[in-house]
Amino acid sequence: MINAFDPTSATGLSPRERALVERRRRLLGPAYRLFYEHPVHPVRGEGAWLFDAAGNRYLDCYNNVASMGHAHPRIVAAIAAQAAQLNTHTRYLHETVLDYAEALLATLPAALGHVMFTCTGSEANDLALRIARSHTGGEGIVVTALAYHGVTASLADLSPSLGAGVPLGRHVATVAAPDAYRGSADMPRRFAEDVRQAFEDLRRHGIRPCALLVDTMFTSDGVFPDPAGFLAEAVTAARAAGALFIADEVQPGFGRTGQMWGFARHGVEPDIVTMGKPMGNGHPLAGLAIRPELLERFGSTSRYFNTFGGNPVSAAAGLAVLQVLHDEGLAENARSVGAYLQDGLRALAARHLLIGDVRGAGLSIGCELVRDRVTQTPATAETTYVVNALRERRVLISASGPDANILKIRPPLCLSRAQVDLFVETCDQVLASVPGHD
Amino acid sequence: MINAFDPTSATGLSPRERALVERRRRLLGPAYRLFYEHPVHPVRGEGAWLFDAAGNRYLDCYNNVASMGHAHPRIVAAIAAQAAQLNTHTRYLHETVLDYAEALLATLPAALGHVMFTCTGSEANDLALRIARSHTGGEGIVVTALAYHGVTASLADLSPSLGAGVPLGRHVATVAAPDAYRGSADMPRRFAEDVRQAFEDLRRHGIRPCALLVDTMFTSDGVFPDPAGFLAEAVTAARAAGALFIADEVQPGFGRTGQMWGFARHGVEPDIVTMGKPMGNGHPLAGLAIRPELLERFGSTSRYFNTFGGNPVSAAAGLAVLQVLHDEGLAENARSVGAYLQDGLRALAARHLLIGDVRGAGLSIGCELVRDRVTQTPATAETTYVVNALRERRVLISASGPDANILKIRPPLCLSRAQVDLFVETCDQVLASVPGHD
């Protein structure tokens, strides 16, 4: 994975950076990774900008957590004010968590009547699966080929993107990503047929269907948004097999796609929606929304308590995020500026043959680099070069896909057209400098 | 469990409280629980005090998260200042997370060389087990009879305190709590023998030992600190079986027992220490410390990334907690004020026959109520009465143990002697009012 550099052997580090990298390795151990061959060391953020200690600014086109903009003053103020009053948990009554739950449910289909709070998207997916197992009595989960759903033991079992060192559980089946670029015109039907077949295979092995769990933008598979609506047929197939449909909105949610939720693009209503990352704009806040009838069995056999989940400070952060998203029109901005960014990349494609495909929704954008547009041979080494060369020019993105040849572009939703111009110009320079290409 | 009231049918609620309870049920669903038959609705906190909207103050003798005192100004300021600068993650370089890791390791045995950060104690235990499985190649876990280690799927599997509705995994064996009050004088030997036997049983069933995982104060089992050192023999037995020793310090850690860590009381060095709750004084922060050699295999097959874990704001909160703990001498305060509190309860025992045992370390205290001191019959209904009657007098504690007859007392570490006097006087009044007792 391109986003898993271990730069202890990298060159180009300043003595201070090298000392930090070594200190990090010594204190945090071997399982931590940094972005980029030459890691970034930001000390301050504002909107879509990050700044290092020397005052250099970086255009952040990748961090999908600070989606409302780095260090957004209104969200920071909400956190500081509530922390100075009280921070306790959901076994006492508190109004803010209920105000927040209500505001959140108002953005979701009416059938989703309950919210439960966690601290991370991993906890949200882990809880969603516990509830789904309790409701269906099944264990069988279908995910996409390069899915990432979290780091708890039960999620590592079903996150193939963690690599061969973390084997999938035997109750897990994978289907090919819904790739309209490399796939045929009947991709939606094929994807649905794969899902149907995967549940049937699980059943033949004695494993009862539990859930179809997908990131509705298929972000870690390589960003696959089109054609809008393609997911509906797969959801129908999953339900026909007796499985629930869990929409993992940890990455697509909260306006990133130009709509509040990624599933809306497909005209489907999930049974459970999980959410995280931008939910607190960096404050550890995550959760799920669910159809109340699916909680009945779980609620009668289990209680649920998460010490920090839904605490008053987290709820205040979450409410402030919803207010900023609304008041600043950030989903609308993501839609229009995202379209402008895609147009800019398509214009580059006329000059740079490396660009095989540009796709996305709002500010969740994939740009696939290929060595040959007919054979679609993944330009893996070139993509690594582009990501690192952009970083040297202080523009931050990453890459994804099984061949790590898909530029993954996810700026804060407040990105401006001027910032897009800078991004596209810098991409133009970098693409012109790729060894062996023009 | 006494701490799992569902007060939708409670009496004594004001119309406003009833509306809140109903709104909560409607929005958060059936798996959430509240403390007390008459729930508390705090809006502000300071030190060991909580205040409701009418300005009534409650003495908080239970919340083990805000251990440095509610809304501690120094910790709040650290959170606000860092949030206004930057909140991003561990795939960029940042000094604060390293300063914090270093400060944390300085409080631990030298053999524990690496720290990894999560957001919750559940995530910390879940990660500890993933690493322990990777290192040992085993799956078998031994926990105590009423242990609680978290809410992820893999931890619910080994948390018997979640009740019969959440069955234990087949790779899990339980041992009786190390109960010196109800046990015989050779409890330490018996406990170690139980651990040895449990691993042997697992092995006979084809399950290779992985870890002995215990809360070093056995908090949810009923608070069992004595005799100091008793744990050492069990740890030796676990290691002889090929298992690691994981100390769950989520509840005992950070000065509560009068020492920085609960395991110190037993003169043992854990292989992995997990931590959470008071680590950020309410800010979602948790993690683990580990012997570097145990991470080698995990680090070579897996990378680890937790979006919010170890972010600069969490690290700043954690650093501020360590500074406050040190500068205000809170572990020392817990030791001396805790001893004073235990003395107060023992003095009450002379007048109130219900008190069968008083035990604890620092400000982690258990007080067992029995109907008869010879037969030690658990006074379950009386304990429920006492907890709720204390709440009506605005003193907050809870209860634990298999018969929910053990008062669980865990005030913020800044508790004063005057507050202890208020606590003990209120207990005196309440014990005198227990129906059928004097």
Side-chain angles (χ1 to χ4, degrees):
Chain A
M1 302 295 290
I2 200 160
N3 55 359
F5 288 111
D6 183 352
T8 44
S9 59
T11 55
L13 300 181
S14 73
R16 187 182 173 200
E17 287 166 342
R18 179 162 302 281
L20 263 181
V21 166
E22 279 163 11
R23 193 174 164 220
R24 213 177 112 101
R25 174 80 182 204
R26 176 168 56 80
L27 293 166
L28 307 185
Y32 277 79
R33 296 289 184 279
L34 287 159
F35 284 146
Y36 311 114
E37 288 164 0
H38 181 179
V40 179
H41 181 193
V43 298
R44 189 168 74 76
E46 190 181 338
W49 297 113
L50 289 171
F51 299 86
D52 66 19
N56 298 308
R57 71 179 192 186
Y58 298 73
L59 185 62
D60 182 0
C61 291
Y62 191 62
N63 192 326
N64 58 351
V65 174
S67 284
M68 313 306 137
H70 286 286
H72 194 291
R74 197 166 159 191
I75 301 164
V76 172
I79 290 169
Q82 183 58 50
Q85 283 290 306
L86 180 69
N87 190 9
T88 187
H89 57 62
T90 53
R91 281 187 165 165
Y92 304 103
L93 292 171
H94 202 277
E95 256 132 355
T96 309
V97 67
L98 303 181
D99 293 345
Y100 179 45
E102 213 155 54
L104 203 52
L105 287 173
T107 71
L108 285 158
L112 299 170
H114 292 327
V115 185
M116 299 174 80
F117 293 108
T118 65
C119 295
T120 67
S122 288
E123 286 191 329
N125 280 328
D126 194 290
L127 178 61
L129 289 175
R130 284 185 67 201
I131 296 169
R133 285 186 198 117
S134 168
H135 177 79
T136 61
E139 291 275 325
I141 308 288
V142 172
V143 296
T144 49
L146 208 63
Y148 174 73
H149 296 291
V151 290
T152 66
S154 88
L155 295 172
D157 266 2
L158 51 78
S159 289
S161 70
L162 293 176
V166 185
L168 297 183
R170 63 178 289 280
H171 61 292
V172 179
T174 61
V175 292
D179 184 341
Y181 172 57
R182 285 160 194 282
S184 53
D186 72 342
M187 181 279 283
R189 175 140 315 159
R190 192 188 48 73
F191 185 65
E193 176 55 25
D194 285 354
V195 168
R196 195 192 61 70
Q197 188 68 48
F199 280 118
E200 200 174 294
D201 286 353
L202 285 167
R203 218 183 255 283
R204 275 193 305 109
H205 290 87
I207 297 161
R208 196 163 151 184
C210 175
L212 169 67
L213 170 63
V214 297
D215 169 336
T216 57
M217 280 293 288
F218 301 88
T219 315
S220 83
D221 280 289
V223 185
F224 296 110
D226 296 317
F230 77 76
L231 196 51
E233 213 170 327
V235 170
T236 302
R239 288 186 172 139
L244 300 179
F245 167 45
I246 304 176
D248 181 338
E249 293 281 339
V250 171
Q251 298 198 68
F254 294 93
R256 173 150 301 279
T257 63
Q259 299 179 75
M260 182 66 183
W261 302 108
F263 62 78
R265 155 172 209 86
H266 293 287
V268 291
E269 290 205 357
D271 298 301
I272 305 177
V273 173
T274 60
M275 49 191 93
K277 292 201 192 287
M279 193 171 177
N281 207 45
H283 187 87
L285 171 59
L288 62 80
I290 186 169
R291 286 169 41 213
E293 59 273 29
L294 304 183
L295 252 180
E296 276 168 25
R297 197 180 140 75
F298 185 83
S300 70
T301 54
S302 312
R303 57 183 202 272
Y304 173 73
F305 179 59
N306 183 311
T307 302
F308 304 131
N311 72 60
V313 176
S314 297
L319 258 180
V321 164
L322 289 182
Q323 288 158 356
V324 165
L325 190 58
H326 175 266
D327 293 355
E328 300 184 9
L330 292 180
E332 297 72 16
N333 192 66
R335 195 158 56 232
S336 69
V337 172
Y340 182 64
L341 198 158
Q342 282 199 53
D343 288 346
L345 288 174
R346 287 208 185 87
L348 291 187
R351 289 201 295 290
H352 300 288
L353 291 173
L354 261 182
I355 298 181
D357 192 34
V358 176
R359 55 190 183 245
L363 282 167
S364 177
I365 295 171
C367 176
E368 186 149 356
L369 303 189
V370 293
R371 291 192 182 145
D372 181 307
R373 288 182 178 176
V374 176
T375 61
Q376 300 182 329
T377 310
T380 301
E382 293 86 343
T383 305
T384 301
Y385 171 88
V386 167
V387 167
N388 284 288
L390 282 170
R391 178 261 173 263
E392 286 307 314
R393 287 166 174 80
R394 302 194 184 115
V395 170
L396 307 179
I397 64 166
S398 190
S400 76
D403 298 297
N405 70 315
I406 301 160
L407 301 176
K408 197 159 53 163
I409 303 159
R410 308 174 308 195
L413 309 187
C414 57
L415 197 76
S416 69
R417 283 175 183 249
Q419 287 169 325
V420 171
D421 291 341
L422 172 60
F423 173 76
V424 173
E425 280 161 34
T426 314
C427 283
D428 195 11
Q429 294 161 18
V430 164
L431 286 165
S433 75
V434 179
H437 296 268
D438 54 16
Chain B
M1 302 296 292
I2 200 161
N3 55 358
F5 288 112
D6 182 353
T8 43
S9 59
T11 55
L13 300 181
S14 72
R16 187 182 172 201
E17 288 165 342
R18 180 161 302 282
L20 262 181
V21 167
E22 280 163 11
R23 192 174 164 221
R24 215 177 111 101
R25 175 80 185 203
R26 176 167 56 78
L27 292 165
L28 306 185
Y32 275 80
R33 296 290 183 277
L34 286 159
F35 283 145
Y36 311 115
E37 289 164 359
H38 181 178
V40 179
H41 181 193
V43 299
R44 188 168 76 76
E46 191 181 338
W49 297 113
L50 289 172
F51 300 86
D52 66 20
N56 298 308
R57 70 179 192 186
Y58 298 73
L59 185 61
D60 182 359
C61 292
Y62 191 62
N63 191 327
N64 59 352
V65 174
S67 284
M68 313 307 136
H70 286 285
H72 193 292
R74 197 166 158 192
I75 301 165
V76 172
I79 290 169
Q82 184 58 51
Q85 283 292 306
L86 180 68
N87 191 8
T88 187
H89 57 65
T90 53
R91 283 189 163 164
Y92 303 102
L93 291 172
H94 202 275
E95 255 131 357
T96 308
V97 67
L98 303 182
D99 293 346
Y100 180 44
E102 213 155 55
L104 202 53
L105 287 174
T107 72
L108 285 158
L112 300 169
H114 292 325
V115 185
M116 298 175 78
F117 293 108
T118 65
C119 295
T120 68
S122 289
E123 287 191 327
N125 280 328
D126 193 291
L127 178 61
L129 290 174
R130 284 185 66 200
I131 295 169
R133 284 186 198 117
S134 167
H135 177 78
T136 62
E139 291 274 325
I141 307 287
V142 172
V143 297
T144 50
L146 209 62
Y148 174 73
H149 296 292
V151 290
T152 66
S154 88
L155 295 171
D157 266 2
L158 50 80
S159 288
S161 70
L162 292 177
V166 185
L168 297 182
R170 64 178 290 280
H171 61 293
V172 179
T174 62
V175 291
D179 184 342
Y181 172 57
R182 286 160 192 280
S184 55
D186 70 344
M187 180 280 284
R189 176 140 316 159
R190 193 190 47 71
F191 185 65
E193 177 55 26
D194 285 354
V195 167
R196 196 193 59 73
Q197 190 66 52
F199 280 117
E200 200 172 293
D201 286 353
L202 285 167
R203 221 184 253 282
R204 275 193 305 107
H205 290 89
I207 297 161
R208 195 164 155 184
C210 173
L212 169 66
L213 169 63
V214 298
D215 169 337
T216 57
M217 279 293 288
F218 302 89
T219 316
S220 82
D221 279 290
V223 185
F224 296 109
D226 296 319
F230 77 76
L231 197 50
E233 214 171 325
V235 170
T236 302
R239 287 185 173 141
L244 300 179
F245 166 45
I246 304 174
D248 182 339
E249 293 282 338
V250 172
Q251 299 197 69
F254 294 92
R256 174 150 299 280
T257 64
Q259 299 179 76
M260 183 66 185
W261 302 108
F263 62 77
R265 156 173 209 85
H266 293 287
V268 291
E269 289 205 358
D271 298 299
I272 305 178
V273 173
T274 60
M275 47 192 94
K277 292 201 191 291
M279 193 172 179
N281 206 44
H283 186 88
L285 172 60
L288 61 82
I290 185 168
R291 285 169 42 214
E293 59 273 30
L294 305 182
L295 252 180
E296 276 167 25
R297 197 179 140 75
F298 184 83
S300 70
T301 55
S302 311
R303 57 183 202 271
Y304 173 72
F305 178 60
N306 182 311
T307 301
F308 304 131
N311 73 60
V313 176
S314 297
L319 258 181
V321 164
L322 289 182
Q323 287 158 356
V324 165
L325 190 58
H326 176 267
D327 294 354
E328 299 184 9
L330 292 179
E332 297 72 16
N333 192 65
R335 193 158 57 232
S336 69
V337 172
Y340 182 65
L341 198 158
Q342 283 198 54
D343 289 346
L345 288 173
R346 287 207 185 87
L348 291 186
R351 289 201 295 290
H352 301 287
L353 291 173
L354 260 183
I355 297 180
D357 192 35
V358 176
R359 56 188 182 248
L363 282 167
S364 177
I365 296 171
C367 176
E368 186 148 358
L369 302 189
V370 294
R371 290 193 183 146
D372 182 305
R373 288 181 178 178
V374 176
T375 62
Q376 300 181 329
T377 310
T380 302
E382 293 85 343
T383 305
T384 301
Y385 171 88
V386 167
V387 168
N388 284 287
L390 282 169
R391 177 261 172 264
E392 286 308 313
R393 287 167 174 80
R394 303 195 185 114
V395 170
L396 306 179
I397 64 164
S398 190
S400 75
D403 298 296
N405 71 314
I406 301 158
L407 300 176
K408 195 158 56 163
I409 303 159
R410 308 175 308 196
L413 308 186
C414 57
L415 197 76
S416 69
R417 283 175 183 250
Q419 287 170 325
V420 169
D421 292 340
L422 172 61
F423 174 75
V424 173
E425 281 162 32
T426 313
C427 283
D428 195 12
Q429 294 162 18
V430 163
L431 286 164
S433 75
V434 179
H437 297 266
D438 54 15

